[in-house]
Amino acid sequence: MAKNILICDDAAFMRMMIKDILSKNGYNVVGEAENGAKAVEKYNELKPDLVLMDITMPEMDGIQALKTIKAADAGAAIIMCSAMGQQAMVIESIQSGAKDFIVKPFQADRVLEAVRKVVG
């Protein structure tokens, strides 16, 4: 059965790019969110198998959204996405329970490798 994935990124073209990579490889993108607050809302509503979460977003950043989701659901699988040079944020994400992180600009094979590692 296809895994359900929620994509959270404030850039619409990034969400589209990730959705394209995942859809072409048999994953089911069940929702998209443009900020951390929406990500938390959609997570609770959709209960996806995996969340791909950007770190830098308006309203609520990805790390805050990660912490909020993990507090409500300790088993939540979340992979963080960040631009180069955000090492401190990446470390904080992993310490807060993220399963992996992907660096932008995205390489399709790296996205798929991370997703497969976390949800199969």
Side-chain angles (χ1 to χ4, degrees), residues 38-49:
K38 282 260 188 277
V40 172
E41 202 177 287
K42 294 254 187 194
Y43 182 85
N44 293 328
E45 178 192 321
L46 302 166
K47 298 283 187 246
D49 299 304

Side-chain angles (χ1 to χ4, degrees), residues 31 80 93:
M80 302 303 282
S93 302

Side-chain angles (χ1 to χ4, degrees), residues 63-105:
I63 292 174
Q64 195 54 55
L66 164 72
K67 289 177 178 173
T68 305
I69 290 170
K70 290 297 269 186
D73 179 0
I78 302 171
I79 295 176
M80 302 303 282
C81 308
S82 77
M84 286 298 220
Q86 292 181 316
Q87 282 356 71
M89 289 176 163
V90 167
I91 291 164
E92 188 182 346
S93 302
I94 300 295
Q95 288 170 340
S96 301
K99 301 280 188 206
D100 201 350
F101 71 93
I102 308 166
V103 178
K104 295 177 180 178

Side-chain angles (χ1 to χ4, degrees), residues 13-28:
F13 78 96
M14 280 293 182
R15 293 196 307 268
M16 197 177 74
M17 237 174 76
I18 299 169
K19 186 176 184 172
D20 191 52
I21 293 167
L22 296 172
S23 299
K24 283 180 178 162
N25 287 278
Y27 293 96
N28 184 19

